[in-house]
């Protein structure tokens, strides 16, 4: 609880300019920006999976030197291990940390229950729907009891309805467990709906061009007009940001489709 | 696409279906075996008509007769057993060694870049060329043959492992690392299972190379029991029926292995890994 | 083929028991046979020569009686025995310390021969038969192990086999290196049987179509046999020359001469000896069919 | 990702870059060859220190010396030439026959279903097992060896062709048929070019099997010139340095073929077929 | 010009009920319908690539017995031969018909000019953009001087702008050469913009549920309000047609995104 719990100063990667921002403990932050602007790169650095060329990342008061240590990540395509069952997937991180069998099982079942997957613990990933897979992936991250949860477009491979349902569930889970969340998405409504803060990144060499603080009380409703206004605002801003004509078209199409 | 059968009346439908099933099975059998039957027929005709010297091509009956004699009098099953044992042993050693080397060195670019070209180079050399070395190092006995078989399997397995490791989804690796897996735990619980589907294909390849190395070696090192020795015996005494009987045995073993072991293994792995749709 | 051949293709093996063949190639065949030049081809083993003869890529060959007898059984009437060349030429040796002095001592032992169905293999079976023993592939307890001549030294060094019936000069070579000792009792028995080491054969087709060349071949071979019998040193030299040409090595002249002691160049073929070969082949299950007695008698014209 | 170098001043930039280039090349070389160098060093140390019997492992120098002697005195290049000629001939025959069979019969389900299992079965039998048959049928000469080499190539090539044909995009086939292509024209101008990229991979596989079949055959049929004969000779006279020299020659030839022929061919085909990104 | 130049009576394929329709010579007809309703199957039967289980297809007064014979097809993913240049691809059909080299070259160049690809005749397909590829594919069909041109979602793999450009070009080409066209698409605007007649197919077992005749004079403009009205009409109709809830959602999303 010592104020700034995470700071980032980016490297000189071609597509990511030096970038700094801070996330308060327990805060839900979204990163939004055009494709290829470096959102995944940024998240990877926070996770400790990528090393910044310059600058540094600090999490929970310590500099990030590798993965793990209270941070967990959820990927766009779930990235479940196909040879393990749902339970096996959820237990994996605990096994990696040498948690004893009994405790492992118990914690995994608890996490699975949290995402409403207790009826399919023995299924393999290919026997699940896309939404179930993504929920398993979230359970796999939550079971680590992370203080920081990193999510890289976790819902973008899903259809609109499943997406809405999972957004709702994520809000519920977040309200229950209150981890710090850094959430990457293309979906402005999603970002506005879930977050305390939304950072807008620029295209090309990524950097933060605008920050929105969202004070709407939770639990929120996706149809809330305040959210729609906010989305409109962000959309305008994004349009202005995407300078290249071709990119703007693609971007607009993408956003309209949401 | 069974809607075509939907038109049949409900009464007698079962009988119709059963006879249809039998017919379909018969057609399926013919479809897969007409060429074999054709070969057998031509073979039989050619030998029965006396168009070829039986010294050069014995009749199918002669070969079967010889096979019977070999099975009863020479205890061909002992030779077969010895060969299969050597094959499985050498292959297993080669597989384990190749996969281990691949996994342990495939994670590091420096190790892989140094070792992989050497193995690729060695794979360009027929394993049998190393037999003289093996005989000098391990003696003129089964150990040399085993070593050659294992070595013949080792090279393609190591190369298959390297290849498979390059195809692991980077996201999967990231997911594992993000969950705190590292070092040997990562290799054992993530890298290895991730490459299993590719390895199954590699296993068959390795088996094929193992057979080749083993047969070539057994033909030279004929001391102990083994199909290679019988093959060489057939050649030495000019008994082509013996040679063909042995080929027949290897053929049957090969097809049985493929159907009963590898095809099943592949199906099981593909199901378990959720690759059914992908193939 | 119906047309006249443009050369007589004669096969032989680079071993010392083919001594007369080596001499014949050096001198006797040089003027040709009935106007045909001689095209010599060197083979590694008897079965290969048989394959070449039967597939039509060879007209005549110096060959061991074992492979010849087997060929007669499997492809009757395709070959013709022309003349004898060398008798003897094999030595029984045992690893020191095995205590093998007689055929009876071979029970439960491993004995090397160059190849299945070759002259030594058949001779060994005759020896075992006389001692009341059987090879393991005939249900007995003597293991007959095929070991190529070149691997023999290594096999003895590693103790893979206890004894060997080896063609000259490999038995003598083992003895000279101290890896094995002769077993005189066995050698005496073999000598009694007058088993040939090398005979001269031709394809029936060639002999029929070219009687003059066949006769010339037999005569030239007979002259070479006489010379080899008279001058073993010439044989040793011719052998070493051939060895040198193909492998770049020469064997010790003393060993070669000692090996030649046990050989006896002669155009005669002991009838009983060939019959024994047939019996051994049948006993071992090598014979593809019966061998006509007439095929065991040399027939030049 | 050369932006890192962008910080260097314009003056002297070229020199810096050149020396960097040289250093990068040196590092690249070391990266790929440290393991070879390590092997050579250990080999040299072990033999120089006299830890192993030179009869079992001659020193690198001895092997090179023997190689020199073989090249000058035994005319090893003649053997190499004879072997390579046989290899290329047998391989080419096998490739053409295998691909032709695959294309001509792969278009028909009946033909493929009958023939493919037979070839797959035969592929399970080491080609060398057919050598005694080949010797009896083709005579004890180069033809038998050639036949074995061609047969050894034929089987995997036919199987690779079948496999490749199943991967042709159905839309591409439909497009061709919609444009009026049929029969032999379709096979020649659509099916064949469509499977070329897969065949290039198959060619390497076929080459590998051709080498194996040829060496195993040459070791048995030692009459004519050929590396297999030299190898067997080395074994027979217990000259391990000869064996290792021959292995060295095969290794160099194998690596050269891979680098100069197959890798280039593959690169060219992948570029022409637009598969650069896909690999 | 004998009235009904093509008649179709469909087979009992699981997903395609017996279907009949007629296309006048020189008419531009579009087939629109939910995914999997059998549009491609239908087109394949007209092309002679698939055989109907029952019923028959007649083209140019003769029953269809195989591909070719005055019909040419353009596929969704262009389906160019990657080992041939643009010119080689365009010449392919002529080669298959044994047209002499010189004439082949001349006709191919003419077709390539018609689709504005004369500057890239020697490039291979992978060196072209998606739009160029699709134009090459159209040239490959046009060079056969087909009386009937069959197009199966030819623009669906392209981005919105390229799509619009190609639609315009297709209209121009059609006005110049006037082949009979059967056009399959998901894009209602596209269908309305290009066609004389639009057939709406039902989902599940496909059959024609509605036919629109479009009399707007050519050349047309995509922004024409009449077209937009028509699209709205069709969309409503489609919505009603897609009964399964899940399918409706996907369908609507698809249509909205166009
Ligand atoms: N492994 C890599 N090697 C080289 N460049 C990379 C690599 N990964 C990403 N990039 C580049 O870095 C830039 C940022 O990529 P990143 O994946 O972070 O973007 P993103 O914002 O996540 O995009 P998206 O929304 O499409 O996921 C891009 O230009 C990309 O091409
Ligand atoms: N080769 C095939 N074998 C079996 N069923 C098929 C085959 N091709 C298509 N189908 C089925 O036939 C039905 C019609 O397919 P078709 O491809 O004609 O649909 P479509 O209208 O073109 O769909 P889309 O808009 O997605 O292209 C679908 O249910 C499909 O699953
Ligand atoms: Mg990303
Ligand atoms: Mg379709």
């Amino acid at each position: 609880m010592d104020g700034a719990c995470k700071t980032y100063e980016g490297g000189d990667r071609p597509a990511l300019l030096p970038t700094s921002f801070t996330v308060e403990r327990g805060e839900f932050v979204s990163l939004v920006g055009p494709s290829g602007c470096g959102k995944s790169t940024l998240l990877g650095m926070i996770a400790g999976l990528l090393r910044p060329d310059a600058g540094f990342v600090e999490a929970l008061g310590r500099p990030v030197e590798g993965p793990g240590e209270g941070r967990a990540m959820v990927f766009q395509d779930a990235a479940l291990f196909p040879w393990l069952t749902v339970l096996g997937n959820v237990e994996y991180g605990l096994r990696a940390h040498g948690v004893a069998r009994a405790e492992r099982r118990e914690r995994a079942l608890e996490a699975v229950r949290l995402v409403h997957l207790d009826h399919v613990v023995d299924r393999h990933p290919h026997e699940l729907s896309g939404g179930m897979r993504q929920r398993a992936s979230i359970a796999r991250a939550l079971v680590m009891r992370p203080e920081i949860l990193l999510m890289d477009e976790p819902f973008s491979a899903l259809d609109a309805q499943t997406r809405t349902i999972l957004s709702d569930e994520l809000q519920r889970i977040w309200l229950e467990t209150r981890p710090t969340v850094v959430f990457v998405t293309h979906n402005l409504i999603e970002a506005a709906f879930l977050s305390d803060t939304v950072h807008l990144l620029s295209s090309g060499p990524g950097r933060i061009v605008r920050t929105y603080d969202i004070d709407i009380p939770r639990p929120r409703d996706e149809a809330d007009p305040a959210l729609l206004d906010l989305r409109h605002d962000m959309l305008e801003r994004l349009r202005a940001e995407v300078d290249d004509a071709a990119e703007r078209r693609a971007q607009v199409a993408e956003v309209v489709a949401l | 696409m069974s809607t075509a059968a939907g038109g049949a009346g409900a009464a007698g439908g079962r009988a119709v279906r059963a006879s249809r099933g039998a017919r379909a099975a018969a057609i399926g059998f013919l479809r897969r075996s007409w060429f074999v039957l054709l070969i057998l027929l031509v073979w039989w005709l050619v030998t029965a008509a006396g168009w070829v010297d039986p010294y050069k091509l014995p009749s199918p009956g002669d070969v079967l007769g010889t096979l019977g004699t070999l099975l009863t009098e020479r205890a061909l099953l002992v030779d077969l057993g010895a060969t299969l044992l050597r094959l499985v042993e050498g292959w297993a050693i080669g597989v384990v060694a190749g996969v281990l080397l691949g996994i342990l060195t495939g994670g590091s670019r420096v190790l892989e870049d140094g070792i992989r070209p050497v193995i690729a180079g060695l794979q360009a050399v027929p394993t049998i060329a190393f037999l003289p070395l093996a005989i000098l190092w391990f003696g003129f006995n089964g150990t040399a043959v085993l070593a050659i078989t294992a070595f013949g399997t080792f090279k393609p397995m190591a190369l298959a492992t390297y290849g498979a490791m390059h195809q692991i989804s980077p996201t999967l690796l990231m997911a594992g690392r993000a969950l705190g897996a590292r070092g040997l735990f990562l290799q054992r619980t993530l890298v290895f299972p991730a490459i299993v589907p590719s390895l199954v294909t590699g296993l068959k390849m390795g088996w094929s190379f193992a057979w080749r190395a083993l047969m070539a070696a057994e033909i030279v090192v004929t001391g102990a029991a083994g199909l290679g020795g019988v093959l060489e015996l057939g050649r030495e005494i000019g008994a082509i029926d013996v040679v063909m009987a042995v080929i027949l045995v290897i053929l049957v073993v090969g097809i049985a292995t493929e159907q009963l072991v590898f095809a099943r293994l592949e199906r099981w792995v593909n199901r378990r890994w959720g690759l059914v749709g992908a193939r | 083929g119906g047309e006249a051949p443009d050369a007589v293709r004669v096969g032989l093996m680079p071993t010392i028991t083919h001594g007369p063949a080596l001499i014949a190639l050096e001198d006797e065949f040089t003027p040709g046979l009935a106007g045909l030049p001689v095209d010599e081809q060197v083979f590694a083993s008897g079965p290969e020569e048989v394959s070449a003869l039967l597939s039509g890529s060879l007209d005549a060959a110096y060959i061991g009686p074992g492979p010849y007898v087997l060929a007669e059984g499997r492809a009757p009437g395709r070959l013709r025995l022309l003349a004898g060349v060398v008798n003897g030429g094999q030595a029984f040796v045992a690893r020191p310390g095995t205590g093998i002095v007689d055929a009876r001592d071979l029970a439960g032992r491993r004995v090397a021969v160059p190849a299945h169905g070759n002259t030594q293999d058949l001779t060994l079976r005759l020896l075992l038969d006389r001692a009341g023993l059987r090879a393991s592939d005939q249900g007995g307890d003597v293991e007959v192990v095929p070991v190529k001549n070149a691997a023999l030294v290594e096999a003895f060094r590693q103790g893979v086999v206890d004894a060997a019936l080896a063609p000259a000069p490999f038995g003598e070579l083992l003895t000279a290196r101290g890896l094995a000792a002769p077993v005189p009792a066995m050698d005496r028995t073999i000598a009694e049987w007058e088993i040939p080491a090398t005979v001269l054969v031709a394809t029936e087709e060639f002999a029929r179509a070219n009687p003059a060349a066949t006769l010339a071949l037999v005569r030239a071979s007979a002259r070479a046999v006489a010379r080899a019998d008279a001058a073993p040193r010439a044989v040793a030299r011719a052998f070493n020359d051939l060895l040198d040409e193909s492998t770049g090595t020469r064997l010790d002249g003393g060993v070669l001469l000692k090996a030649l002691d046990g050989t006896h160049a002669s155009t005669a073929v002991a009838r009983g000896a060939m019959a024994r070969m047939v019996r051994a082949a049948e006993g071992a299950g090598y014979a593809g069919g019966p061998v006509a007695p007439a095929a065991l008698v040399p027939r030049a014209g």
Side-chain angles (χ1 to χ4, degrees), chain A residues 141-152:
Chain A
L142 288 178
V143 78
M144 304 307 294
R145 295 185 184 146
E147 297 185 70
I148 304 172
L149 186 58
L150 307 168
M151 306 181 89
D152 192 0

PDB file of all heavy atoms in Angstrom, chain A residues 141-152:
ATOM      1  N   ALA A 141      -4.884 -17.809 -13.881  1.00  0.00           N
ATOM      2  CA  ALA A 141      -4.170 -16.644 -13.361  1.00  0.00           C
ATOM      3  C   ALA A 141      -4.584 -16.355 -11.914  1.00  0.00           C
ATOM      4  O   ALA A 141      -3.744 -16.096 -11.060  1.00  0.00           O
ATOM      5  CB  ALA A 141      -4.444 -15.436 -14.254  1.00  0.00           C
ATOM      6  N   LEU A 142      -5.897 -16.436 -11.631  1.00  0.00           N
ATOM      7  CA  LEU A 142      -6.391 -16.072 -10.303  1.00  0.00           C
ATOM      8  C   LEU A 142      -5.888 -17.006  -9.218  1.00  0.00           C
ATOM      9  O   LEU A 142      -5.668 -16.593  -8.088  1.00  0.00           O
ATOM     10  CB  LEU A 142      -7.928 -16.085 -10.300  1.00  0.00           C
ATOM     11  CG  LEU A 142      -8.600 -14.938 -11.054  1.00  0.00           C
ATOM     12  CD1 LEU A 142     -10.109 -15.112 -11.006  1.00  0.00           C
ATOM     13  CD2 LEU A 142      -8.191 -13.601 -10.422  1.00  0.00           C
ATOM     14  N   VAL A 143      -5.709 -18.282  -9.563  1.00  0.00           N
ATOM     15  CA  VAL A 143      -5.330 -19.266  -8.561  1.00  0.00           C
ATOM     16  C   VAL A 143      -3.983 -18.908  -7.938  1.00  0.00           C
ATOM     17  O   VAL A 143      -3.665 -19.326  -6.828  1.00  0.00           O
ATOM     18  CB  VAL A 143      -5.287 -20.682  -9.191  1.00  0.00           C
ATOM     19  CG1 VAL A 143      -4.024 -20.879  -9.999  1.00  0.00           C
ATOM     20  CG2 VAL A 143      -5.399 -21.753  -8.116  1.00  0.00           C
ATOM     21  N   MET A 144      -3.199 -18.086  -8.665  1.00  0.00           N
ATOM     22  CA  MET A 144      -1.895 -17.691  -8.137  1.00  0.00           C
ATOM     23  C   MET A 144      -2.045 -16.597  -7.079  1.00  0.00           C
ATOM     24  O   MET A 144      -1.076 -16.134  -6.510  1.00  0.00           O
ATOM     25  CB  MET A 144      -1.001 -17.172  -9.271  1.00  0.00           C
ATOM     26  CG  MET A 144      -0.794 -18.142 -10.435  1.00  0.00           C
ATOM     27  SD  MET A 144      -0.216 -19.756  -9.914  1.00  0.00           S
ATOM     28  CE  MET A 144       1.401 -19.344  -9.292  1.00  0.00           C
ATOM     29  N   ARG A 145      -3.313 -16.167  -6.850  1.00  0.00           N
ATOM     30  CA  ARG A 145      -3.598 -15.044  -5.962  1.00  0.00           C
ATOM     31  C   ARG A 145      -2.680 -13.870  -6.266  1.00  0.00           C
ATOM     32  O   ARG A 145      -1.927 -13.388  -5.415  1.00  0.00           O
ATOM     33  CB  ARG A 145      -3.441 -15.455  -4.494  1.00  0.00           C
ATOM     34  CG  ARG A 145      -4.491 -16.497  -4.128  1.00  0.00           C
ATOM     35  CD  ARG A 145      -4.452 -16.852  -2.676  1.00  0.00           C
ATOM     36  NE  ARG A 145      -5.422 -17.907  -2.436  1.00  0.00           N
ATOM     37  CZ  ARG A 145      -5.248 -18.877  -1.531  1.00  0.00           C
ATOM     38  NH1 ARG A 145      -4.168 -18.908  -0.785  1.00  0.00           N
ATOM     39  NH2 ARG A 145      -6.166 -19.795  -1.375  1.00  0.00           N
ATOM     40  N   PRO A 146      -2.740 -13.435  -7.531  1.00  0.00           N
ATOM     41  CA  PRO A 146      -1.795 -12.397  -7.943  1.00  0.00           C
ATOM     42  C   PRO A 146      -2.212 -11.062  -7.351  1.00  0.00           C
ATOM     43  O   PRO A 146      -3.412 -10.786  -7.192  1.00  0.00           O
ATOM     44  CB  PRO A 146      -1.960 -12.370  -9.462  1.00  0.00           C
ATOM     45  CG  PRO A 146      -3.374 -12.780  -9.678  1.00  0.00           C
ATOM     46  CD  PRO A 146      -3.688 -13.763  -8.594  1.00  0.00           C
ATOM     47  N   GLU A 147      -1.237 -10.241  -7.015  1.00  0.00           N
ATOM     48  CA  GLU A 147      -1.573  -8.890  -6.612  1.00  0.00           C
ATOM     49  C   GLU A 147      -1.778  -8.046  -7.864  1.00  0.00           C
ATOM     50  O   GLU A 147      -2.470  -7.057  -7.855  1.00  0.00           O
ATOM     51  CB  GLU A 147      -0.465  -8.321  -5.743  1.00  0.00           C
ATOM     52  CG  GLU A 147      -0.352  -9.145  -4.464  1.00  0.00           C
ATOM     53  CD  GLU A 147       0.660  -8.567  -3.503  1.00  0.00           C
ATOM     54  OE1 GLU A 147       0.395  -7.510  -2.936  1.00  0.00           O
ATOM     55  OE2 GLU A 147       1.736  -9.193  -3.353  1.00  0.00           O
ATOM     56  N   ILE A 148      -1.124  -8.479  -8.955  1.00  0.00           N
ATOM     57  CA  ILE A 148      -1.290  -7.766 -10.219  1.00  0.00           C
ATOM     58  C   ILE A 148      -1.722  -8.761 -11.281  1.00  0.00           C
ATOM     59  O   ILE A 148      -1.064  -9.789 -11.484  1.00  0.00           O
ATOM     60  CB  ILE A 148       0.035  -7.110 -10.651  1.00  0.00           C
ATOM     61  CG1 ILE A 148       0.548  -6.195  -9.532  1.00  0.00           C
ATOM     62  CG2 ILE A 148      -0.160  -6.336 -11.950  1.00  0.00           C
ATOM     63  CD1 ILE A 148       1.924  -5.670  -9.803  1.00  0.00           C
ATOM     64  N   LEU A 149      -2.844  -8.438 -11.951  1.00  0.00           N
ATOM     65  CA  LEU A 149      -3.351  -9.313 -12.992  1.00  0.00           C
ATOM     66  C   LEU A 149      -3.201  -8.590 -14.330  1.00  0.00           C
ATOM     67  O   LEU A 149      -3.711  -7.481 -14.509  1.00  0.00           O
ATOM     68  CB  LEU A 149      -4.822  -9.623 -12.705  1.00  0.00           C
ATOM     69  CG  LEU A 149      -5.513 -10.638 -13.611  1.00  0.00           C
ATOM     70  CD1 LEU A 149      -4.797 -11.977 -13.574  1.00  0.00           C
ATOM     71  CD2 LEU A 149      -6.969 -10.800 -13.191  1.00  0.00           C
ATOM     72  N   LEU A 150      -2.475  -9.210 -15.264  1.00  0.00           N
ATOM     73  CA  LEU A 150      -2.246  -8.587 -16.563  1.00  0.00           C
ATOM     74  C   LEU A 150      -3.086  -9.315 -17.596  1.00  0.00           C
ATOM     75  O   LEU A 150      -3.046 -10.538 -17.674  1.00  0.00           O
ATOM     76  CB  LEU A 150      -0.759  -8.686 -16.919  1.00  0.00           C
ATOM     77  CG  LEU A 150       0.185  -8.149 -15.838  1.00  0.00           C
ATOM     78  CD1 LEU A 150       1.616  -8.546 -16.108  1.00  0.00           C
ATOM     79  CD2 LEU A 150       0.035  -6.642 -15.758  1.00  0.00           C
ATOM     80  N   MET A 151      -3.860  -8.580 -18.367  1.00  0.00           N
ATOM     81  CA  MET A 151      -4.743  -9.235 -19.331  1.00  0.00           C
ATOM     82  C   MET A 151      -4.544  -8.614 -20.707  1.00  0.00           C
ATOM     83  O   MET A 151      -4.780  -7.420 -20.894  1.00  0.00           O
ATOM     84  CB  MET A 151      -6.193  -9.104 -18.874  1.00  0.00           C
ATOM     85  CG  MET A 151      -6.389  -9.608 -17.442  1.00  0.00           C
ATOM     86  SD  MET A 151      -8.098  -9.507 -16.881  1.00  0.00           S
ATOM     87  CE  MET A 151      -8.714 -11.075 -17.413  1.00  0.00           C
ATOM     88  N   ASP A 152      -4.112  -9.449 -21.691  1.00  0.00           N
ATOM     89  CA  ASP A 152      -3.826  -8.938 -23.029  1.00  0.00           C
ATOM     90  C   ASP A 152      -4.945  -9.330 -23.991  1.00  0.00           C
ATOM     91  O   ASP A 152      -4.985 -10.439 -24.497  1.00  0.00           O
ATOM     92  CB  ASP A 152      -2.489  -9.504 -23.518  1.00  0.00           C
ATOM     93  CG  ASP A 152      -2.016  -8.781 -24.765  1.00  0.00           C
ATOM     94  OD1 ASP A 152      -2.727  -7.859 -25.217  1.00  0.00           O
ATOM     95  OD2 ASP A 152      -0.943  -9.142 -25.279  1.00  0.00           O
TER      96      ASP A 152
END
